[in-house]
């Protein structure tokens, strides 16, 4: 009897152990996987829908660009790890006042920490604040803001579990025309970066870096295309006995060398943003994006890291959904980084585990659209004199980047291109009848002009989120490009 009980115990324990291993294996494939979710869009999905998308696709980390209370509270009890954001335009406020930093921490962090609350691990202070394009405007604010926020976290008794860091663009370091071993922080910010990484080293804070092989390809016509991918087909770059065959390894190891030279070699590195756009440029399409992600996920699955940073690398994909109101100063592709469309529907099959078993990601559920109607060019109109100014008007205030050369809607005929622009404005403005007039050039229709390549979208029902203003002039040149193709 005793023997049978012992045997039963062993069997039960063995079964439990096997079940635990099975559970661990299902969790294992999502370890370290996170996504960025930005909301610079005319219409955004409700955070509850976003949460379900993460669960359905076994993604367990999300990085936000602000700390909107209504958004953050939706993640309570979900187990999803959340990184909150402090926008660049708030850096001066927190740099100049510890009390304001303390108040922000109480309202936006501490308020979510309760039994069954939100799992907050990091605070992203600023976003790529040292970009050369900012002309040094954040140099005096970001580090003081970081220290004030971390001090506030410490004083609330949560600083050991929640760390404030700074998402940096990879342009904060470089190696010139040499290999990674020549890497160092940019000379104009080297002293400041040294202070920051010493703070990271002494306070167990990770270094967040945004790495974009696509941008290297986009910005440099001489950049070897295959070096942006992971197929091993690129001509290797040799550096101190190491052979680099992809840009990610070379770039991240350049950071490793930069940290070593700053006496901060033990600082953990997290990839804060990485991805590939699917529209808006010659190299931004679904085929190239899939090639990049397939190679990236396969590489991450090995958990081998880079030659100088071995082991698993934590990362956040950029981005979860498209954002049709992002600035296109860097390029029209900026509005097309999403793995999912604006409405949460997947763009192409992939496998987050890197095992090569591609399938369409699980799309957003419960999405509500506005009426199935579009704004179209009235082809009966013979007076074409006002087309140009009305296209300029539409494309300055709505998104026409898919009409750019080599983009998904570039092959539309003249009338369809005009209709696309008019419809984009119409949907951005919630199908307001007055938004489909254009001095008599347009009319509302119930016929969908979408093609297999080009989507004439329908606006989502408003989720209650705030609507961001379209940067005036940000896309006016798109309207001109539309005309050039007419």
């Amino acid at each position: 009897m005793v023997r049978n009980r012992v045997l039963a115990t062993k069997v039960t324990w063995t079964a439990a152990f096997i079940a635990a291993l099975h559970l661990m294996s299902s969790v294992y494939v999502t370890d370290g996987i996170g996504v960025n979710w930005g909301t610079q869009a005319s219409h955004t999905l409700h955070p509850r829908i976003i949460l379900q998308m993460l669960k359905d696709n076994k993604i367990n980390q999300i990085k936000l660009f602000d700390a909107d209370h209504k958004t953050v509270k939706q993640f309570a009890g979900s187990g999803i790890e959340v990184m909150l954001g402090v926008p660049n335009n708030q850096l001066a406020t927190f740099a100049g006042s510890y009390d304001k930093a303390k108040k922000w921490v109480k309202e936006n962090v501490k308020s979510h920490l309760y039994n069954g609350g939100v799992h907050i691990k990091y605070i992203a202070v600023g976003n790529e604040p040292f970009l050369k394009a900012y002309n040094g405007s954040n140099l005096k604010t970001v580090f003081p803001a970081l220290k004030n926020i971390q001090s506030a976290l410490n004083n609330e008794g949560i600083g050991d579990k929640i760390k404030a860091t700074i998402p940096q663009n990879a342009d904060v370091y470089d190696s010139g025309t040499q290999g990674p071993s020549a890497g160092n922080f940019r000379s104009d910010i080297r002293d400041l970066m040294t202070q920051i990484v010493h703070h990271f080293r002494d306070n167990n804070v990770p270094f967040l870096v945004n790495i974009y092989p696509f941008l290297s390809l986009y910005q440099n016509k001489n950049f070897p295309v295959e070096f942006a991918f992971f197929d091993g087909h690129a001509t290797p770059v040799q550096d101190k006995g190491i052979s680099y065959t992809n840009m990610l390894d070379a770039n991240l190891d350049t950071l490793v060398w930069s940290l070593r030279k700053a006496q901060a070699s033990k600082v953990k590195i997290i990839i804060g943003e990485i991805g590939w756009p699917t529209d808006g440029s010659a190299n931004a399409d679904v085929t190239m994006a899939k090639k990049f992600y397939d190679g990236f996920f396969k590489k991450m699955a090995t958990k081998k890291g880079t030659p100088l940073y071995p082991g698993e690398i934590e990362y956040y994909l950029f981005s979860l959904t498209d954002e049709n109101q992002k600035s296109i100063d860097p390029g029209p592709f900026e509005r097309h980084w999403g793995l999912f469309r604006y409405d949460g529907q997947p763009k192409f099959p992939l496998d987050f585990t890197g095992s090569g078993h591609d399938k369409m990601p699980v799309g957003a559920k419960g999405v509500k659209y506005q009426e199935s109607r579009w704004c179209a060019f009235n082809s009966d109109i013979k007076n074409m004199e006002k087309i140009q100014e009305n296209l300029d008007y539409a494309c300055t205030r709505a998104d026409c980047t898919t009409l750019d050369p080599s983009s998904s809607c570039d092959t539309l005929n003249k009338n369809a291109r005009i209709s696309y622009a008019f419809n984009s404005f119409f949907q951005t403005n919630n199908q307001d009848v007055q938004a489909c007039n254009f001095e008599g050039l347009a009319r509302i229709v119930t016929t969908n002009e979408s093609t297999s390549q080009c989507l004439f979208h329908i606006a989502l029902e408003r989720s209650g989120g705030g609507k961001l203003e379209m940067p005036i002039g940000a896309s006016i040149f798109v309207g001109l490009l539309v005309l050039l193709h007419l």
Side-chain angles (χ1 to χ4, degrees):
M1 186 72 174
V2 174
R3 182 180 177 183
N4 287 341
R5 185 183 302 129
V6 172
L7 180 60
T9 301
K10 286 183 178 180
V11 171
T12 302
W13 183 89
T14 302
F17 180 69
I18 293 173
L21 284 178
H22 177 73
L23 178 61
M24 288 173 65
S25 68
S26 67
V27 175
Y28 174 81
V29 298
T30 59
D31 281 353
I33 296 181
V35 293
N36 288 266
W37 180 43
T39 56
Q40 294 187 62
S42 58
H43 300 77
T44 58
L45 294 168
H46 194 282
R48 284 196 300 270
I49 294 178
I50 295 296
L51 172 59
Q52 190 60 49
M53 287 173 66
L54 300 182
K55 289 181 175 180
D56 288 342
N57 291 288
K58 296 182 173 62
I59 297 171
N60 57 8
Q61 296 169 279
I62 188 168
K63 178 169 166 280
L64 305 175
F65 291 89
D66 55 29
D68 177 70
H69 197 276
K70 292 181 179 179
T71 296
V72 177
K73 73 176 184 180
Q74 298 295 330
F75 295 94
S78 68
I80 301 293
E81 183 182 292
V82 180
M83 184 185 305
L84 305 182
V86 176
N88 289 341
N89 61 12
Q90 295 180 17
L91 294 176
T93 298
F94 300 136
S97 173
Y98 169 75
D99 288 340
K100 290 181 178 178
K102 182 178 179 180
K103 183 174 183 289
W104 185 89
V105 167
K106 279 183 174 293
E107 294 177 349
N108 296 286
V109 183
K110 192 68 180 292
S111 65
H112 295 294
L113 305 181
Y114 52 87
N115 187 22
V118 183
H119 179 24
I120 301 171
K121 188 172 183 180
Y122 298 116
I123 311 297
V125 180
N127 185 48
E128 300 185 333
F130 299 152
L131 272 177
K132 293 178 181 178
Y134 293 153
N135 297 315
S137 58
N138 300 309
L139 292 178
K140 295 182 179 180
T141 56
V142 66
F143 191 30
L146 174 84
K147 290 189 290 186
N148 278 342
I149 289 174
Q150 188 64 60
S151 293
L153 292 168
N154 294 343
N155 289 336
E156 288 289 347
I158 53 178
D160 58 332
K161 296 181 180 178
I162 302 176
K163 300 295 183 179
T165 186
I166 306 170
Q168 298 283 11
N169 187 280
D171 80 343
V172 298
Y173 53 86
D174 61 54
S175 59
T177 59
Q178 304 177 61
S181 63
N184 208 337
F185 292 115
R186 267 181 13 221
S187 58
D188 60 312
I189 56 172
R190 188 169 299 159
D191 290 344
L192 177 56
M193 285 301 302
T194 299
Q195 294 177 52
I196 290 172
V197 298
H198 284 182
H199 170 85
F200 290 171
R201 178 196 64 194
D202 298 339
N203 293 276
N204 195 29
V205 176
F207 190 111
L208 252 68
V209 60
N210 302 340
I211 300 177
Y212 285 108
F214 169 82
L215 291 181
S216 297
L217 182 60
Y218 178 80
Q219 294 166 352
N220 183 358
K221 64 180 181 180
N222 296 317
F223 187 86
V225 175
E226 288 304 320
F227 203 63
F229 300 98
F230 305 93
D231 301 332
H233 298 156
T235 300
V237 172
Q238 303 294 333
D239 184 59
K240 290 189 176 296
I242 298 174
S243 181
Y244 291 96
T245 59
N246 68 80
M247 182 264 199
L248 175 60
D249 282 356
N251 189 295
L252 199 140
D253 279 4
T254 302
L255 172 58
V256 171
W257 276 105
S258 302
L259 289 169
R260 287 180 179 180
K261 293 171 183 177
Q263 287 76 53
S265 59
K266 299 298 183 181
V267 171
K268 177 182 177 179
I269 297 172
I270 296 176
I271 299 175
E273 296 179 14
I274 190 165
W276 199 280
T278 58
D279 215 335
S281 172
N283 290 309
D285 58 39
V286 167
T287 301
M288 296 285 268
K290 178 171 173 49
K291 178 179 180 179
F292 176 80
Y293 280 115
D294 284 351
F296 178 74
F297 289 137
K298 183 177 180 180
K299 175 179 175 58
M300 291 298 105
T302 67
K303 301 186 184 295
K304 292 182 179 179
T306 73
L308 298 183
Y309 194 81
E312 185 176 6
I313 300 174
E314 189 175 341
Y315 61 89
Y316 292 81
L317 305 174
F318 191 88
S319 181
L320 188 63
T321 57
D322 286 342
E323 300 172 77
N324 68 353
Q325 291 191 338
K326 284 197 71 181
S327 168
I328 58 172
D329 286 346
F333 55 82
E334 278 295 325
R335 294 176 179 171
H336 306 282
W337 287 100
L339 286 165
F340 297 80
R341 299 183 331 200
Y342 76 103
D343 57 356
Q345 301 313 306
K347 297 179 180 179
F348 54 90
L350 52 79
D351 180 5
F352 290 112
T353 72
S355 57
H357 304 302
D358 286 357
K359 63 180 180 179
M360 292 298 282
V362 181
K365 299 174 181 175
V367 179
K368 295 182 179 180
Y369 300 85
Q370 296 187 29
E371 291 184 57
S372 294
R373 59 180 189 168
W374 295 262
C375 183
F377 172 56
N378 186 354
S379 57
D380 293 335
I381 298 296
K382 303 303 180 183
N383 183 2
M384 304 289 283
E385 293 179 359
K386 295 183 177 180
I387 291 291
Q388 178 172 353
E389 61 184 278
N390 279 280
L391 279 174
D392 286 347
Y393 185 86
C395 290
T396 301
R397 294 162 177 81
D399 181 32
C400 298
T401 54
T402 55
L403 295 172
D404 274 25
S406 301
S407 298
S408 61
C409 300
D410 181 33
T411 59
L412 293 177
N413 63 38
K414 176 180 68 175
N415 287 358
R417 293 175 70 84
I418 299 172
S419 291
Y420 184 94
F422 287 175
N423 183 65
S424 184
F425 180 82
F426 176 62
Q427 303 295 344
T428 296
N429 287 279
N430 296 301
Q431 300 189 357
D432 189 316
V433 174
Q434 296 301 316
C436 186
N437 186 301
F438 296 100
E439 299 185 274
L441 295 173
R443 60 186 177 186
I444 296 174
V445 300
T446 56
T447 302
N448 187 352
E449 292 192 57
S450 296
T451 69
S452 60
Q453 298 296 321
C454 178
L455 175 69
F456 282 60
H457 75 279
I458 301 175
L460 305 178
E461 285 190 7
R462 302 305 298 275
S463 67
K467 178 175 179 290
L468 298 175
E469 291 296 324
M470 173 68 69
I472 299 300
S475 59
I476 191 168
F477 77 92
V478 179
L480 298 175
L481 285 172
V482 173
L483 288 166
L484 290 174
H485 283 68
L486 294 181

